[in-house]
């Protein structure tokens, strides 16, 4: 069947606020859709796509937090969802989600999910799907909310969103080693896209910690060379373990990233320490300035540097001071769990 003759499926993609454009580009590039992604009304963390390709194709997205099949019901209250046809649509969407990632249980994310109506809906869904209802720990997530699109009746109706797969897309199977201060994988993936994925690139990750940026770069496409550097011995172990779990290879050096790193690199990635977790606010001015200098020394002509940092003022000053070394191309603010880090994309002068 030609794609244009196929019926599309409404899918909502959630993301960390600030990454809408990056995710929109990624979705347009990787997924077969009818039209571009559109913002979800009243939300700063969700885009909707009309998916023409298989539902499993959304699992390729690396900058999305999660994907949900969107079911719209022209009903006045959630109680109506328990009736035959409506219930069957939800059961079918659960079946589609399970084909992408099998769950053993489900839960609701909805206002009033402990009410008798939701308990009844849970019992009917459990019976129809064979999944256990686990109010707090259920793997498959069903969001039930007031409709967000206007309807001819004037009543917004109700939406049921069925999450695709048993884990959010942002949960990475390769993360076998936990590391304090590890970068969020969807932000790391966004940094990789902003820096550009070129197969001939020699890639350097300064202060690599557990290797999130390196792994996300290497799973996005091949590279001619990949090197990570960190002072902490446990970072060397953690990044080696994560790289191995991801099935990608990089050389991890134990040492000071501000000292000369041997080689000549086309893409340099870094998320320097912030707050009290690694380093201190005072020492971070010197560290950010040192990072820009060290990255310049290690960078080939025309190289790109992508830095994620929470130290906004410190980085702004460091970038101003390093204007002979790096030209600012782009800045992206991200909102993640109460933190507001920023991504800087710089080109070597
Ligand atoms: C925010 S963490 C990086 C987290 C990493 N992206 C991840 O996902 O796990 C910052 C890292 O910088 C390292 N670091 C701090 N100063 C350094 C230096 N001068 N040279 C090398 N590594 C350094 C710390 O050991 C820490 O692992």
């Amino acid at each position: 069947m030609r794609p244009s003759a196929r019926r599309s499926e409404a899918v909502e993609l959630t993301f960390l606020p600030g990454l809408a454009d990056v995710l929109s580009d990624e979705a347009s590039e990787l997924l077969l859709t009818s039209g571009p992604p559109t913002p979800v009304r009243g939300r700063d963390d969700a885009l909707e796509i009309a998916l023409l390709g298989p539902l499993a194709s959304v699992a390729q997205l690396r900058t999305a937090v999660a994907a949900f099949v969107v079911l719209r019901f022209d009903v006045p209250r959630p109680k109506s969802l328990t009736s035959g046809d409506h219930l069957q649509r939800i059961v079918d969407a659960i079946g589609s989600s399970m084909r992408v990632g099998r769950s053993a249980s489900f839960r609701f994310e909805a206002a009033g999910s402990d009410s008798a109506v939701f308990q009844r809906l849970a019992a009917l869904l459990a019976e129809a799907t064979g999944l256990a209802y686990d109010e707090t720990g259920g793997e498959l997530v069903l969001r039930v909310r007031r409709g967000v699109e206007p309807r001819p009746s004037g009543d917004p109706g109700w939406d049921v969103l069925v999450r695709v797969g048993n884990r959010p897309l942002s949960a990475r199977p390769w993360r076998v080693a936990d590391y304090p201060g590890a970068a969020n994988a969807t932000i790391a993936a966004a940094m990789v896209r902003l820096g550009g994925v070129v197969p001939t690139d020699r890639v350097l990750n300064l202060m690599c910690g557990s290797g999130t940026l390196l792994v996300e770069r290497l799973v996005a496409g091949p590279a001619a060379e990949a090197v990570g550097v960190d002072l902490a011995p446990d970072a060397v172990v953690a990044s080696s373990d994560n790289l191995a779990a991801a099935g990608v290879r990089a050389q991890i050096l134990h040492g000071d990233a501000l000292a000369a790193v041997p080689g000549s690199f086309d893409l340099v990635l870094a998320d320097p320490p912030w707050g009290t977790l690694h380093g201190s606010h005072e020492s971070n001015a010197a560290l950010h300035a040192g990072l820009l200098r060290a990255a310049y020394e290690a960078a080939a002509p025309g190289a790109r540097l992508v830095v994620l940092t929470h130290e906004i003022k410190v980085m702004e000053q460091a970038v101003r001071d390093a204007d002979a070394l790096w030209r600012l191309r782009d800045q992206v603010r991200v909102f993640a769990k109460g933190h507001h880090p920023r991504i800087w994309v710089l080109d070597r002068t």
Side-chain angles (χ1 to χ4, degrees):
M1 196 189 299
R2 282 184 301 120
S4 57
R6 291 229 297 261
R7 264 191 42 196
S8 66
E9 183 166 27
V11 174
E12 191 168 299
L13 304 174
T14 57
F15 56 87
L16 294 180
L19 298 184
D21 291 346
V22 186
L23 173 59
S24 184
D25 284 351
E26 187 186 26
S28 302
E29 190 182 299
L30 296 182
L31 305 179
L32 185 60
T33 57
S34 144
T38 52
V40 175
R41 196 180 288 265
R43 298 270 300 277
D44 65 354
D45 66 347
L47 291 172
E48 184 169 312
I49 54 171
L51 186 68
L52 292 167
L55 188 59
S57 60
V58 300
Q60 299 171 74
L61 296 172
R62 307 202 70 85
T63 63
V65 170
F68 294 83
V69 172
V70 182
L71 305 173
R72 299 198 161 93
F73 295 93
D74 205 353
V75 297
R77 55 189 70 83
K79 184 168 188 283
S80 312
L81 299 173
T82 57
S83 80
D85 287 357
H86 298 329
L87 191 74
Q88 191 55 47
R89 281 179 66 201
I90 304 172
V91 170
D92 290 347
I94 290 175
S96 303
S97 164
M98 297 275 283
R99 283 190 283 281
V100 180
R102 284 202 81 73
S103 302
S105 55
F106 71 98
R107 67 188 150 98
F108 291 118
E109 283 182 359
S113 60
D114 53 354
S115 66
V117 168
F118 276 93
Q119 298 306 310
R120 168 100 182 113
L121 184 58
L124 291 170
L125 289 173
E127 190 187 338
T129 61
L131 294 177
Y133 175 53
D134 178 344
E135 271 179 62
T136 50
E139 293 172 320
L140 196 149
V141 174
L142 302 181
R143 285 188 177 164
V144 183
R145 69 176 182 208
R146 252 336 216 162
V148 290
E149 290 300 323
R151 273 150 224 268
S153 63
D155 184 299
W158 287 82
D159 293 343
V160 178
L161 283 79
V162 180
R163 197 181 69 199
V164 180
N166 54 346
R167 282 152 61 97
L169 299 176
S170 56
R172 303 295 205 248
W174 57 255
R175 203 186 282 286
V176 292
D178 278 336
Y179 190 76
N184 173 285
T186 70
I187 299 180
M191 292 171 69
V192 164
R193 289 189 66 81
L194 291 165
V197 179
V198 181
T200 52
D201 270 354
R202 295 157 294 178
V203 179
L204 172 64
N205 182 187
L206 294 173
M207 309 180 189
C208 65
S210 59
T212 309
L213 307 180
L214 264 184
V215 173
E216 287 299 318
R217 167 59 188 84
L218 294 172
V219 296
E225 187 186 352
V227 176
V229 187
D230 203 289
L231 265 184
D234 46 340
V236 177
V237 176
S239 50
S240 302
D241 289 352
N242 283 334
L243 285 156
V248 292
R249 281 167 174 271
Q251 187 188 4
I252 303 299
L253 306 176
H254 178 215
D256 186 355
L258 305 185
V261 178
S264 177
F265 298 91
D266 308 291
L267 176 68
V268 184
L269 303 166
D271 61 328
W274 49 281
T276 50
L277 205 49
H278 302 282
S280 71
H281 191 67
E282 292 69 39
S283 61
N284 273 344
L287 189 118
H288 282 68
L291 168 63
L292 292 177
R293 264 196 311 277
Y296 180 82
E297 296 299 330
R304 298 95 66 203
L305 169 63
V306 188
V307 179
L308 172 74
T309 179
H310 294 67
E311 297 279 10
I312 309 300
K313 294 246 171 311
V314 164
M315 183 64 174
E316 276 173 347
Q317 187 60 49
V319 169
R320 273 196 296 275
D321 293 346
D323 67 341
L325 312 182
W326 296 103
R327 195 173 310 112
L328 180 62
R329 191 202 310 172
D330 202 1
Q331 272 186 71
V332 178
R333 292 155 200 253
V334 193
F335 299 86
K337 290 191 181 152
H339 296 293
H340 303 153
R342 207 178 282 184
I343 301 169
W344 267 263
V345 185
L346 303 145
D347 292 300
R348 194 182 193 271
T349 55

